């Protein structure tokens, strides 16, 4: 037996660790990758976009907190929905959430590549990013863009890592998150002090022609930047006093993240300007940093390199988090008999949900071929949809299981989940409308994935209907599971 | 077929809670029904199962525990009658469910007409206690049904049957020496009861003292 995942009661995570897991997953790639794209759509109102998204997602955060405190399962949103919904809706929830994490993985990998090239460029290893052409792969007859190659390799590397070894502990996560936040704070500090910021121009707040409405599609696109606090609910077993700490960790991580985002976006817009950010695209924050960070420092030479390093580091750690998260959803679905049983099996040698990871990797590797914007849109869309279901799950549980013990009860029920459902629906609708206009590819792929889910569900139903194996005698199963 | 079972446990007291903990550790989904508010909050602190607060005989409460999806219900409260009622109600609501009831006396086997399995935790606990007290010389391996025991008994030097072949020893009716000395073969008439070796023995509990006398002296 190589190290298999055991529940180690002594490896307890405190409130800080749990909060950092949530923040670490949120302050990953979203802010680095999507700020430029948000500025492109909404202009200086990008600041508003991130703030409003924080508010919208806070309602779902309340739902997650209540569910996590009362349903002790480490499967995140899927496990909660499975508790109260029938087979088909809970399957679709898992199916959508799984896809959302996988596409998010693709998005983070796509954000990693240009930032990594920028880092190399700062040190003069490669020419500036826009001049990096394609590397000619001898096997293939055409040139493959270097950025695509990098994204592909990043996914491959982290998938391989997670496929053969179990995840890093929560304390490592805490250190990573502190590094990320520190780098961002350095960015904010220098940005506020720079002469560029003193002449900051936030007017006109909204882009011309579109007006305030432009905020909505930008919110849809960047919604994924607040995805990550739900990962706290996947490690609940290891948290001390979960009924107290899980809700606290969810809110603390959300509040802290909103503050960090607000500061970062304000500085980015204030220094580089919305147009500059829009031009820099995925490397917007990095470009802003290189414009005002001091140069001529020892070792790192250019202060901007620190921020670019932060972007590279953040996208990689976030990618790692979603590789784990996506495989956990698939694993849970396999355990529940909603995907093939092999998905719910732990590999005998590596002690990891091997099949679940490999299956997740296939979609992730495919999604790095997408334009960054499409990946962001699709991931956001599926998170919006799955968050709607989570809110509905809270309402259903309250109505159908009034006697369920709820160590944490959200205030002002039923307002928060209802508001959460409405706001998420609005954003999803706006996003879909926006996709119809600008990004039909993302929409088609989303619909294809949903249809594929329907086919999978029916096929599995058929498969199960043949011999009815209800494990009445679970002895053999229990023995094999007892090892992990 | 790997599948985690969906298990409902009625009664979150000492027995129910420990059982839930073991099952949760094995990766199953457990829901506990418990009436006592203090216990509910203790269980919630441990974070091993969803808890429904209420009376487990109330069909409405059983439904809230998700009886339609559940594979098994274990009624583990301290009261036999209540446990049987819970199992019967559960079967009524979900005919295919497996039911396990905790009982408080040994003569409860007849209850298996109503439920799939019964358990008598005091007896199981007593068995373990006796094993611990006696050390490795006499161990109960399994509690089969009724009053049949399968034991591992070490033959003592100087006991009546020590060093004899089975053919030469008259064990009381209701005894079966199952294994030979090193546990590799089923006992034959020519198997010798070597002192210091351990033998698997199946016996009816009313002859246990005689068997002990013969093998342990």
């Amino acid at each position: 037996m190589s190290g298999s995942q055991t529940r180690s009661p002594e490896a307890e995570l405190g409130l800080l660790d749990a909060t950092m897991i949530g923040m670490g997953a949120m302050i990953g790639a979203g802010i680095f990758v999507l700020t430029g794209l948000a500025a492109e759509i909404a202009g200086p109102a990008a600041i508003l976009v991130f703030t409003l998204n924080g508010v919208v997602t806070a309602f779902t955060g309340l739902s997650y907190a209540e569910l996590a405190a009362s349903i002790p399962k480490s499967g995140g949103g899927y496990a909660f929905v499975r508790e109260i919904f029938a087979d088909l809706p809970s399957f679709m929830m898992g199916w959508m959430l799984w896809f959302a994490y996988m596409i998010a993985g693709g998005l983070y990998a796509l954000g990693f590549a240009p930032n990594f090239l920028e880092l190399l460029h700062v040190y003069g290893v490669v020419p500036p990013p826009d001049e990096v052409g394609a590397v000619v792969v001898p096997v293939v007859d055409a040139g493959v863009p270097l950025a695509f190659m990098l994204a592909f390799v990043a996914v491959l590397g982290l998938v391989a890592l997670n496929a053969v070894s179990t995840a890093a502990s929560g304390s490592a996560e805490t250190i990573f998150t502190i590094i990320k936040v520190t780098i961002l704070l350095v960015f904010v500090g220098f940005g506020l002090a720079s002469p560029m910021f003193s002449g900051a121009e936030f007017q006109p707040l909204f882009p011309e022609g579109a007006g305030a409405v432009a905020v909505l599609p930008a919110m849809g696109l960047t919604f994924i930047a607040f995805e990550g606090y739900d990962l706290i609910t996947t490690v609940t077993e290891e948290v001390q006093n979960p009924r107290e700490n899980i809700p606290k960790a969810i809110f603390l991580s959300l509040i802290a993240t909103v503050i960090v985002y607000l500061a970062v976006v304000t500085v980015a817009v204030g220094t580089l300007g919305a147009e500059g950010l829009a031009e820099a695209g995925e490397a917007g924050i990095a470009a802003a940093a290189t414009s005002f960070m001091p140069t001529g420092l020892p070792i790192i030479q250019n202060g901007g390199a620190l921020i670019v390093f932060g972007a590279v580091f953040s996208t990689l750690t976030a990618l790692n988090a979603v590789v784990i998260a996506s495989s956990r959803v698939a694993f849970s679905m396999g355990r529940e008999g909603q995907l093939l049983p092999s998905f719910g099996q732990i590999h005998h040698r590596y002690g990891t949900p091997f099949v679940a990871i490999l299956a997740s990797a296939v979609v992730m590797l495919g999604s790095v071929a997408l334009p960054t914007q499409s990946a962001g849109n699709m991931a956001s869309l599926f998170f919006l949809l799955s968050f709607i279901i989570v809110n509905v799950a809270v309402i259903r549980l309250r109505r159908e299981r009034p006697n369920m013990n709820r160590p944490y009860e959200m205030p002002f029920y039923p307002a928060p989940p209802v508001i959460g459902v409405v706001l998420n629906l609005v954003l999803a609708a706006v996003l879909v409308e926006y996709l119809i206009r600008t990004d039909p590819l993302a929409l088609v792929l989303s619909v294809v994935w949903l249809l594929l889910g329907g086919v999978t569900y029916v096929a599995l139903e058929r498969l199960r209907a043949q011999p009815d194996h209800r494990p009445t005698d679970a002895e053999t199963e229990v023995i094999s599971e007892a090892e992990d | 077929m790997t599948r985690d079972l969906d298990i409902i446990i009625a009664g979150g007291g000492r027995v129910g809670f420990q059982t839930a903990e073991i099952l949760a550790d094995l990766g199953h989904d457990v829901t506990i029904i418990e009436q006592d508010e203090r216990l509910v909050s203790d269980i919630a602190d441990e974070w091993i199962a969803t808890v429904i607060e209420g009376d487990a005989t109330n069909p409405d409460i059983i439904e809230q525990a998700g009886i339609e999806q559940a594979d098994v219900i274990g009624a583990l409260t301290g009261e036999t009658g209540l446990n049987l009622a819970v199992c019967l109600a559960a079967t009524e609501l979900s005919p295919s469910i497996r039911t396990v009831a905790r009982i408080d006396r040994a003569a409860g086997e007849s209850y298996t007409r109503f439920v799939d399995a019964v358990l008598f935790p005091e007896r199981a606990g007593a068995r373990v206690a006796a094993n611990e007290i006696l050390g490795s010389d006499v161990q109960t391996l399994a509690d089969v049904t009724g009053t049949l025991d399968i034991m591992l008994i070490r033959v003592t030097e100087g006991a009546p049957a020590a060093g004899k072949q089975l053919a030469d020893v008259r064990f009381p009716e209701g005894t079966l020496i199952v294994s030979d000395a090193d546990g590799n073969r089923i006992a034959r008439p020519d198997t010798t009861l070597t002192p210091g070796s351990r033998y698997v023995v199946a016996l009816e509990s009313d002859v246990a003292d005689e068997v002990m006398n013969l093998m342990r002296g």
Side-chain angles (χ1 to χ4, degrees):
Chain A
M1 288 290 295
S2 71
S4 60
Q5 286 167 309
T6 49
R7 287 167 84 187
S8 42
E10 60 279 354
E12 293 256 286
L13 306 175
L15 176 59
L16 175 76
D17 295 317
T19 308
M20 287 298 175
I21 285 171
M23 280 181 77
M26 281 189 278
I27 303 180
I31 188 75
F32 285 103
V33 181
L34 297 172
T35 307
L37 301 174
E40 194 177 351
I41 302 172
I47 302 167
L48 265 182
V49 167
F50 279 97
T51 318
L52 290 173
N53 264 342
V55 173
V56 169
T57 210
F59 291 108
T60 311
L62 283 166
S63 295
Y64 261 107
E66 179 169 313
L67 291 170
S70 53
I71 302 173
K73 287 185 193 170
S74 285
Y78 168 71
F80 304 148
V81 170
R82 182 84 182 126
E83 183 79 9
I84 186 72
F85 277 94
D87 280 352
L88 180 61
S90 60
F91 170 84
M92 281 325 273
M93 166 77 186
W95 190 250
M96 292 194 308
L97 199 59
W98 185 33
F99 191 61
Y101 283 129
M102 290 190 286
I103 298 293
L107 171 73
Y108 297 162
L110 287 168
F112 155 80
N115 281 303
F116 188 69
L117 287 175
E118 174 77 21
L119 187 63
L120 293 180
H121 158 62
V122 169
Y123 290 110
V125 183
V126 297
D130 39 33
E131 289 169 34
V132 176
V135 279
V136 179
V137 183
V139 188
V140 192
D141 208 14
V144 179
L146 190 58
F148 167 75
M149 285 282 293
L150 271 175
F152 196 84
V153 169
V155 173
L156 214 55
L158 285 174
V159 164
L161 184 75
N162 282 297
V164 298
S165 69
T166 46
S169 67
S171 35
E173 196 69 41
T174 305
I175 296 163
F176 288 165
T177 308
I178 289 172
I179 293 173
K180 288 194 246 190
V181 174
T182 310
I183 290 175
L184 283 173
L185 290 179
V186 168
F187 170 86
V188 170
F190 277 99
L192 289 176
S194 85
M196 289 170 76
F197 191 77
S198 52
E201 188 54 73
F202 296 99
Q203 297 296 341
L205 184 59
F206 299 108
E208 279 161 45
V213 184
V215 170
L216 285 173
M219 278 176 74
L221 166 66
T222 58
F223 188 76
I224 186 170
F226 281 99
E227 183 283 317
Y229 63 86
D230 50 321
L231 293 189
I232 297 175
T233 63
T234 60
V235 295
T236 6
E237 276 173 4
E238 292 131 54
V239 178
Q240 296 159 351
N241 193 1
R243 58 195 288 198
E244 291 258 330
N245 284 337
I246 298 293
K248 274 186 192 162
I250 288 176
F251 301 135
L252 282 175
S253 62
L254 265 177
I255 291 163
T257 305
V258 169
I259 293 169
V260 171
Y261 280 5
L262 201 59
V264 170
V265 179
T266 306
V267 166
V269 173
T271 51
L272 203 59
E275 289 82 16
L277 276 176
E279 247 161 71
E282 295 95 343
I285 298 287
T290 25
S291 70
F292 65 74
M293 292 292 284
T295 48
L297 298 169
I299 305 169
I300 56 170
Q301 295 169 15
N302 182 338
L306 175 71
I307 311 300
V308 181
F309 168 76
V312 169
F313 184 69
S314 296
T315 43
L316 275 184
T317 47
L319 174 56
N320 188 47
V322 289
V323 167
I324 295 168
S326 61
S327 61
R328 278 193 179 184
V329 174
F331 179 76
S332 301
M333 289 179 78
R335 301 272 349 135
E336 291 281 344
Q338 291 207 306
L339 281 178
L340 288 174
S342 54
F343 279 75
Q345 283 167 343
I346 286 180
H347 191 276
H348 62 279
R349 259 192 57 201
Y350 306 126
T352 56
F354 198 71
V355 177
I357 291 178
L358 291 196
S360 309
V362 172
V363 175
M364 245 185 237
L365 289 171
S367 65
V368 297
L370 292 169
T372 307
Q373 188 139 357
S374 301
N377 283 332
M378 280 160 73
S380 289
L381 179 63
F382 278 91
F383 278 118
L384 283 165
L385 294 176
S386 59
F387 282 3
I388 290 169
I389 304 181
V390 167
N391 283 310
V392 175
V394 170
I395 298 169
R396 278 196 60 178
L397 275 167
R398 285 259 191 161
R399 289 177 53 164
E400 292 176 26
R401 299 192 186 171
N403 296 74
M404 193 165 98
N405 179 49
R406 293 178 177 78
Y408 169 79
E409 290 205 354
M410 67 171 73
F412 312 118
Y413 179 86
V418 171
I419 295 171
V421 168
V422 170
L423 290 177
N424 286 339
L425 267 175
V426 168
L427 281 185
V430 168
L431 189 55
V432 168
E433 191 274 332
Y434 177 79
L435 291 184
I436 292 171
R437 275 190 297 123
T438 63
D439 195 357
L441 170 76
L443 203 62
V444 169
L445 285 175
S446 304
V447 173
V448 166
W449 179 256
L450 289 176
L451 291 175
L452 195 64
V455 171
T456 307
Y457 182 80
V458 172
L460 281 169
E461 282 291 289
R462 290 270 163 83
L463 195 73
R464 259 195 307 264
Q466 284 162 352
D468 183 26
H469 15 229
R470 258 183 91 96
T472 42
D473 182 356
E475 237 89 330
T476 46
E477 219 180 304
V478 170
I479 289 164
S480 60
E481 279 164 34
E483 295 172 1
D484 38 75
Chain B
M1 178 81 193
T2 49
R3 229 182 104 247
D4 294 335
L5 295 174
D6 203 327
I7 301 164
I8 300 175
I9 289 185
R14 286 195 316 267
V15 176
F17 179 75
Q18 303 270 354
T19 309
E21 202 164 31
I22 292 170
L23 292 167
D25 279 337
L26 290 173
H28 299 293
D29 295 336
V30 186
T31 303
I32 299 179
I33 304 175
E34 173 58 51
Q35 213 165 354
D36 181 343
E37 215 170 308
R38 227 168 15 88
L39 279 174
V40 166
S41 123
D42 288 350
I43 298 166
D45 276 336
E46 291 298 324
W47 208 82
I48 53 161
T50 307
V51 190
I52 306 286
E53 195 176 328
D55 171 6
T57 52
N58 177 344
D60 182 40
I61 296 286
I62 299 183
E63 272 188 330
Q64 285 188 41
I67 192 84
E68 308 86 9
Q69 295 94 36
D71 300 295
V72 191
I73 184 162
L76 306 179
T77 71
E79 295 170 44
T80 308
L82 182 76
N83 293 340
L84 292 170
V86 169
C87 288
L88 290 172
T91 311
E92 198 63 39
L93 292 166
S94 173
S96 63
I97 199 166
R98 176 176 160 82
T99 52
V100 178
R102 172 184 170 187
I103 53 174
D104 58 3
R105 54 190 172 276
E109 270 66 48
S110 53
Y111 291 133
T112 46
R113 290 202 312 221
F114 306 121
V115 295
D116 294 318
V118 292
L119 74 143
F120 182 23
E122 287 80 359
R123 189 183 168 90
R127 224 171 267 290
V128 175
N131 282 349
E132 291 300 339
I133 289 166
L134 297 172
S136 65
D137 291 340
V138 177
Q139 295 226 313
T140 306
L141 294 180
D143 178 6
V144 191
T145 51
T147 54
L148 205 59
D149 286 332
I150 296 185
M151 305 181 86
L152 196 57
I153 302 174
R154 192 189 300 281
V155 176
T156 320
E157 186 71 59
K164 307 264 192 309
Q165 288 191 336
L166 280 188
D168 302 334
V169 185
R170 257 195 76 199
F171 279 105
E173 287 281 308
T175 316
L176 181 64
I177 307 293
V178 179
S179 75
D180 73 347
D182 37 20
N184 290 337
R185 296 173 67 235
I186 295 294
R188 308 279 195 278
D190 63 351
T191 298
T192 308
L193 292 168
T194 316
S197 297
R198 298 202 292 176
Y199 296 80
V200 176
V201 182
L203 45 80
E204 289 162 18
S205 44
D206 52 3
V207 298
D209 53 351
E210 275 185 67
V211 176
M212 288 300 153
N213 186 311
L214 286 166
M215 295 178 77
R216 309 268 317 147

